[in-house]
Amino acid sequence: MPDNSSTIAKPEAVNTAVTSTTETDSKDNQQAPSNTLQQQPPNEHQPSVPTSPNADATETNAPVTADQTPSATPVNTAGNSPEAQQQQKAVERDREIVEEFEYLLEKSQQLFSGLGDLPEIGSKYWMPHFQRTFEVYTKLWRFQNQHRLLLEKPEHYGLKRWEVGEIASKIGQLYYRYYLRTSDTNNLLEAFVFYDAIRERNYFKGEEE
């Protein structure tokens, strides 16, 4: 039976992120920079001036001529150039995006798994967990939508469509479970929005894990 013991605040709706996305599921035009840094040229060492095996000590210590003067070793400043620094910052920024996505994904899975351990009655026990789960999934959905182009690249994360579908499915289930506890039909409608998006966009069609 739904728990109507107290009036609860409706969790932050995340369906706006679903309905606002285009068929391509992403508006992020961020271009992932190349991870290849400018290669530094190797140091050139000037070979020593060869001497004759029969030369005496005076010949060995004689000063070299102008054409035998070693050339100065070129100083490599490529690593300190503004372009290289900007490229390095871009690589670090991409890595931070991937790490943030992985953290949100893992955290959301942990919270969703804990829903089954919540008591059926007593809103003061289960409501905070639901609110926290809604918050993390909302952030995860918006984050993957914002950085979809980057996350789909194999060299960064390699996000697949069925993985996006799994996130949408978990959000739909989350709304449905909340409906069962509150009898609020608005949550049932929110669950339908996500399941309908999964069907319309064929997140799981032809995909194999």
Side-chain angles (χ1 to χ4, degrees), residues 16-99:
T16 55
V18 176
T19 57
S20 62
T21 54
T22 61
E23 188 63 24
T24 58
D25 301 324
S26 175
K27 293 182 179 179
D28 184 12
N29 294 323
Q30 177 182 359
Q31 298 296 328
S34 173
N35 290 331
T36 304
L37 298 178
Q38 184 174 355
Q39 183 177 2
Q40 300 180 356
N43 294 331
E44 299 177 0
H45 299 282
Q46 179 69 22
S48 59
V49 180
T51 58
S52 172
N54 299 324
D56 54 18
T58 57
E59 294 177 342
T60 303
N61 296 328
V64 295
T65 59
D67 58 347
Q68 295 174 330
T69 303
S71 60
T73 302
V75 178
N76 183 15
T77 59
N80 297 326
S81 64
E83 293 79 5
Q85 293 178 358
Q86 292 178 0
Q87 194 172 28
Q88 181 64 27
K89 290 180 180 179
V91 172
E92 293 177 357
R93 182 175 61 251
D94 293 345
R95 183 174 62 251
E96 291 175 355
I97 291 175
V98 174
E99 290 176 353

